[in-house]
Amino acid sequence: MAKYLRVFVHQPAGYLPFSTFLNHLIKMNTAVQEHTGPAVGKRYPWVVVGLLWVVALLNYLDRQMLSTMKPAMQGDITELQSATNFGYLMAIFLWIYGLMSPVSGLIADRLSRKWLIVGSLFVWSGVTFLMGYATTFQQLCWLRAIMGVSEALYIPAGLSLIADYHPSRTRSLAVGIHMTGLYMGQALGGFGATLADSYSWHTTFRTFGLVGIVYAGVLMLTLREIRTQTPANGLSGEAARKMPTWKALRLLLTNASFWVLLVYFAIPSLPGWATKNWLPTLFASSLNIDMAQAGPLSTITIAFSSFLGVIVGGLLSDRWAQTNLRGRIYTSAIGLGLTIPSLLLLGFGQSLGHVVGAAFCFGFGFGMFDANNMPILCQLVPAHSRATAYGLMNMTGVFAGAFITNWLGKSTDAGSLGRDFALLSGVVLVALLIQLYALRPKAVDLAD
């Protein structure tokens, strides 16, 4: 490592080409990993899942609180009284998050995922803390944009790290357990309105921001990096990571199966993001209850059912994949199939039983789908490009989410939110047919 440090000592940074600087940075990062990487025990892969579970919780909690705190905040920031403005605020995060996702994937495939995770958590937690001091709509927009950049760095790095720690026989379950952290964060985010009523929206943002900042320090001491060293496409894992970025992207983008996966992932993201951002509003209007009740009821229902869905889907998929190469795809298809009638009932249901039952069924099915996206990706994309691939998938899914979030904001103002929720069942059917017809993996793990 000392020889790389001497490059910076003897060559002024102002005269060092950026490409050369980046290459030295990658080499330094690799050297640190090679010399400090500790031996991994049988239990530590599950410790990693536990550590990242908390990060996943904070990832969704910090972004999701805003969706239920609109009534509390609109008295201080009057622009939030418009559902269209609120949809725009939510969409800003999604567009920035989506644009950054492929970049974050490229970075995660080449640099330390540990430090990407720690740094992104620290920054978005700081943004959450600062939101407690926002006084204008413009300040909220800027803070949500910065949150989009910082949160985008987490998911590709986190899922890639879990996939490297867990072989095929436990991968779906590990990813599924991690996903329950996202759902728990979504559920706790539903209490944003309740906490804002009890204390204030300022205090709520500041408190959870501080929690994340402290936990970033915990991760610095406990999270370890690991890299898969199995050959892929004739290259060792280390040689593949040193491959030029343009060549790695070319190999990925000429993979026809990846394009199918991209479409299949993006389409269900429409109802997925619709429930994340607008289900509390739909519950409030369909059941004639205020947001302080609708927020926790809707988010807890979705989170609890999704929790069950990812566990059942993970266990079923890991077992099925050992005897059938399409086992994960079939498990995911079962989940998507459950969401179709659920969306119809969510849109047109008027009673508590109908709406809550539909939300439960949707969450369970979407959980089965969610637990298998990264494991299916591992069957189609080699290890050295998985974070990049998931970053691109995340981008398409988030852009679909930004579109649907903005569209449903206008639907709410027009009084047609329920009808448009029901229409989403048709697009899920399209994704289901594409999935069953076109996704045909040739290996349990492409890196093997």
Side-chain angles (χ1 to χ4, degrees), residues 16 72 89 97 145 147 174 189 191 233 238 257 279 289 338 364 380 394 416-417:
L16 192 66
L89 181 63
Y97 182 92
M147 179 175 280
F191 284 93
N233 290 342
E238 187 57 41
S257 296
L279 193 61
I289 56 179
L338 290 174
F364 187 86
L380 303 171
N394 212 27
S416 57
L417 181 62

Side-chain angles (χ1 to χ4, degrees), residues 84-422:
T84 299
N85 282 342
F86 186 70
Y88 174 75
L89 181 63
M90 300 294 283
I92 284 176
F93 169 84
L94 294 177
W95 284 110
I96 300 295
Y97 182 92
L99 286 169
M100 277 298 301
S101 290
V103 178
S104 65
L106 284 167
I107 295 171
D109 277 331
R110 283 157 175 77
L111 301 182
S112 170
R113 292 166 295 188
K114 167 185 174 173
W115 292 110
L116 284 178
I117 292 168
V118 171
S120 64
L121 172 61
F122 181 83
V123 173
W124 90 60
S125 298
V127 167
T128 302
F129 179 79
L130 291 176
M131 285 183 72
Y133 293 94
T135 57
T136 68
F137 184 70
Q138 288 74 21
Q139 289 174 353
L140 286 178
C141 289
W142 278 107
L143 288 170
R144 289 289 286 183
I146 297 171
M147 179 175 280
V149 173
S150 56
E151 289 209 357
L153 291 169
Y154 171 63
I155 289 293
L159 290 180
S160 173
L161 190 62
I162 290 173
D164 276 357
Y165 267 110
H166 286 269
S168 176
R169 65 180 181 274
T170 61
R171 187 170 289 151
S172 282
L173 180 60
V175 170
I177 292 173
H178 172 266
M179 287 298 181
T180 64
L182 301 179
Y183 304 144
M184 184 62 71
Q186 184 180 347
L188 293 178
F191 284 93
T194 306
L195 292 172
D197 285 344
S198 301
Y199 302 97
S200 71
W201 64 269
H202 307 85
T203 301
T204 303
F205 278 126
R206 294 169 193 168
T207 300
F208 286 108
L210 285 173
V211 169
I213 291 170
V214 171
Y215 192 68
V218 173
L219 285 184
M220 289 176 63
L221 302 175
T222 55
L223 188 62
R224 305 173 190 169
E225 178 63 87
I226 189 175
R227 289 290 185 182
T228 298
Q229 297 296 327
T230 50
N233 290 342
L235 297 172
S236 69
E238 187 57 41
R241 284 193 296 278
K242 292 180 179 178
M243 183 189 305
T245 300
W246 65 267
K247 187 174 181 180
L249 280 173
R250 186 185 68 184
L251 288 174
L252 178 63
L253 297 179
T254 53
N255 183 340
S257 296
F258 172 68
W259 284 101
V260 174
L261 190 62
L262 207 60
V263 174
Y264 137 81
F265 182 81
I267 294 176
S269 295
L270 292 168
W273 282 101
T275 56
K276 287 181 179 73
N277 291 331
W278 286 106
L279 193 61
T281 303
L282 182 65
F283 266 50
S285 61
S286 297
L287 302 177
N288 295 315
I289 56 179
D290 61 38
M291 189 61 79
Q293 295 175 293
L297 179 62
S298 60
T299 53
I300 288 175
T301 301
I302 286 287
F304 178 70
S305 57
S306 298
F307 182 96
L308 294 178
V310 295
I311 298 301
V312 171
L315 289 169
L316 175 61
S317 176
D318 282 337
R319 183 178 292 256
W320 205 343
Q322 302 310 307
T323 58
N324 189 319
L325 286 178
R326 301 189 76 197
R328 300 194 194 282
I329 292 167
Y330 293 144
T331 304
S332 179
I334 293 170
L336 280 186
L338 290 174
T339 67
I340 295 173
S342 305
L343 287 165
L344 288 169
L345 198 54
L346 274 174
F348 297 123
Q350 295 295 321
S351 70
L352 179 65
H354 287 162
V355 175
V356 173
F360 184 92
C361 187
F362 177 88
F364 187 86
F366 201 84
M368 294 182 70
F369 163 79
D370 226 4
N372 285 287
N373 289 323
M374 187 62 173
I376 291 173
L377 175 67
C378 292
Q379 293 185 268
L380 303 171
V381 175
H384 68 270
S385 293
R386 286 173 187 165
T388 301
Y390 198 88
L392 288 166
M393 288 169 58
N394 212 27
M395 178 185 72
T396 58
V398 168
F399 282 172
F403 166 77
I404 200 66
T405 297
N406 199 32
W407 182 43
L408 291 180
K410 297 175 181 178
S411 297
T412 300
D413 285 340
S416 57
L417 181 62
R419 182 202 67 190
D420 290 343
F421 250 88

